[in-house]
Amino acid sequence: MALEEECGVFGVFRPEAGYVAHDSYYALYALQHRGQESCGIVVNDDGVFAEHRDVGLVGDVFTAPVLERLGTGEMATGHVRYGTTGSRSRINAQPLVVNHMKGTLAIAHNGNLANASELRRELEMRGSIFQTTTDTEVISYEIIHERLRTKSIEAAVESAMNYLVGAYSLVVMSPQKLLAIRDPHGFRPLCIGTLDDGGVVFASETCALHAVGATYLRDVEPGEIVIAERAPEGAQAPISLRSIRTHCGTTPHTACVFEYIYFARPDSDVDGMSVHTARQRAGRFLAQSHPAEADIVVGVPDSGLDAAMGFSQESGIPYDTGFIKNKYIGRTFISPGQSSRERGVRIKLNPVPSVVAGKRVVLVDDSIVRGTTCKRIIRLLREAGATEVHFRVSAPPFLNPCYYGTDIDSREKLIACHMSEEEIRQDIDADSLGYLSIEDARRMAEPAKIGGFCTACFDGNYPTPVSDPEVSRYKRTIRTGVVKTDDTPTMWQMKEARP
């Protein structure tokens, strides 16, 4: 698997000041799979913000002395990052903290804006000075610009959403409130949980709720702004929740189907659908559409395991553990260069010869991007004695770049854009090759409450306008809003009319 993770966001609001930094620490540990580049926590103690951000894993960045320095507070927000935009440095770590005329703002973001470059140019023309290279800072400045002429932080967010195009699941913290925001398409997951003391948490995945002892309440709906704030004196609960639904239902829901294929943890539920179940369904569909005569089914750890189980259950071919993953090897261990990558794969994944030797093996993984990793894994199986390797992929072929938070930025890096399926099979040295169909990719998460899915990386049908020459053939109009119709003002007309 050559794709990288996205980001994970978390927020907590407790009735009494306490160690909310520790809550964030445990939640970010649970979300570490979504980003291993950098992480950060911001604690709000009665309007005073304390922050710590750095490059590295959660356990390395947040030592006991660091957590002690963050102190106590009623609110906190946290973030783990894999950078799909912006350079990989400490300055781009989140949450971002911005001081402005009406107070302080902390923001954590998962996703990518499709119109970030246009918005950034516009903001720079209005005098904004950027300190980072991330979409998150663009969003924060849009919110602050609206905040200067609105009565509340939630009104500012509601107004700013008129100009944001693309994927954004946000946790925004002001001195008195904690907000969870999801874009109208619902690209990225975001859920709400409650604590025994009446507190409220927001998180990218339900696995983070479990890590802090929270009970799942519901998912944030696409386009919804959820506000957590102190309840009035005498209210039943100390923290109240209310929502703004102005942007709900303004566009079809297109959740990223790759959340179910790869990104989310298998013990999470995303929009009411078990990720583990969705992946097993994908494996069952693969067994139906691409059967194989084999002795054993094995999965590539970790996200190929559930699909391999589903393939085994549907086909009747026994499932077994064909690879052992070294859990102590981080991504930073693997250095650039062909020989280093070869050694990295051998150290990270080890075949079990007693399981695969002399066997015809069905090998299940979640995707083929460049083809280099799966080629090495197949070679490892053959060296361990496998007589045949039938490769099954629980995703369709990648044919298009993603603009919503997945690390696929160019067709040049996608093997399916340059080779036929038979050529790929020969290149990776598999005895047979089968991909999940786009229809089955949608069906694997069909029971989810979201309703629709984005499959643009497979079929090129982008749900929003995207500002990239590679997709100009789709004849999308680039502007800071919805897809342009004959009576829709142009971006420049919008700018002239905008306060």
Side-chain angles (χ1 to χ4, degrees), residues 343-359:
R343 289 193 296 271
V345 170
R346 288 181 179 274
I347 292 174
K348 197 167 189 177
L349 281 179
N350 296 290
V352 183
S354 62
V355 171
V356 302
K359 303 285 182 61

Side-chain angles (χ1 to χ4, degrees), residues 105-363:
L105 180 79
I107 181 171
H109 170 217
N110 173 207
N112 265 31
L113 294 184
N115 66 333
S117 57
E118 288 92 339
L119 291 179
R120 188 181 182 103
R121 283 195 296 270
E122 181 185 342
L123 287 163
E124 288 175 333
M125 291 295 289
R126 287 198 262 125
S128 297
I129 299 174
F130 285 84
Q131 305 298 318
T132 78
T133 55
T134 65
D135 291 4
T136 311
E137 193 172 15
V138 173
I139 296 172
S140 68
Y141 285 174
E142 283 288 342
I143 293 173
I144 290 168
H145 174 75
E146 300 300 325
R147 181 68 183 94
L148 297 178
R149 57 194 190 88
T150 55
K151 295 181 179 180
S152 65
I153 182 64
E154 59 267 32
V157 170
E158 180 185 13
S159 182
M161 288 174 69
N162 291 321
Y163 305 99
L164 306 179
V165 178
Y168 53 92
S169 284
L170 309 170
V171 173
V172 175
M173 185 169 66
S174 74
Q176 289 84 35
K177 299 172 184 177
L178 189 69
L179 281 65
I181 304 103
R182 197 174 180 191
D183 69 78
H185 288 273
F187 283 107
R188 300 293 160 212
L190 195 59
C191 62
I192 310 168
T194 57
L195 295 162
D196 290 342
D197 63 358
V200 173
V201 297
F202 302 128
S204 289
E205 294 183 34
T206 56
C207 63
L209 304 185
H210 304 153
V212 298
T215 301
Y216 169 78
L217 180 64
R218 66 178 179 87
D219 291 275
V220 178
E221 295 183 25
E224 186 181 19
I225 303 168
V226 179
I227 306 102
E229 59 191 341
R230 290 203 172 276
E233 192 72 28
Q236 186 175 3
I239 307 296
S240 68
L241 286 175
R242 58 186 173 89
S243 69
I244 298 173
R245 301 176 54 84
T246 310
H247 294 278
C248 294
T250 59
T251 188
H253 298 167
T254 52
C256 175
V257 74
F258 220 72
E259 289 285 348
Y260 298 94
I261 294 171
Y262 175 71
F263 287 129
R265 230 170 71 167
D267 56 330
S268 287
D269 290 350
V270 175
D271 288 310
M273 176 68 187
S274 163
V275 175
H276 169 74
T277 301
R279 290 176 185 169
Q280 283 196 328
R281 285 167 59 88
R284 287 182 175 276
F285 296 151
L286 271 174
Q288 294 167 7
S289 58
H290 298 285
E293 292 187 7
D295 304 305
I296 193 170
V297 179
V298 303
V300 178
D302 287 313
S303 51
L305 299 180
D306 297 319
M309 292 177 191
F311 193 103
S312 172
Q313 292 164 359
E314 184 68 21
S315 65
I317 302 171
Y319 169 86
D320 207 337
T321 301
F323 285 97
I324 299 298
K325 182 179 180 180
N326 189 332
K327 299 183 182 301
Y328 303 99
I329 302 297
R331 291 183 183 274
T332 54
F333 174 84
I334 301 177
S335 305
Q338 182 70 19
S339 62
S340 295
R341 286 194 293 267
E342 290 278 359
R343 289 193 296 271
V345 170
R346 288 181 179 274
I347 292 174
K348 197 167 189 177
L349 281 179
N350 296 290
V352 183
S354 62
V355 171
V356 302
K359 303 285 182 61
R360 299 170 297 173
V361 178
V362 174
L363 177 64

Side-chain angles (χ1 to χ4, degrees), residues 18 26 31 49 57 84 90 114 133 139 142 147 154 179 268 328 354 378 432 477 491 493:
Y26 292 123
L31 296 171
F49 286 35
L57 300 177
T84 52
R90 184 183 183 279
T133 55
I139 296 172
E142 283 288 342
R147 181 68 183 94
E154 59 267 32
L179 281 65
S268 287
Y328 303 99
S354 62
I378 291 171
S432 67
T477 301
M491 183 171 69
Q493 290 171 331

Side-chain angles (χ1 to χ4, degrees), residues 92-104:
N92 284 327
Q94 297 182 41
L96 292 183
V97 178
V98 184
N99 297 305
H100 56 96
M101 287 179 61
K102 291 192 175 182
T104 306

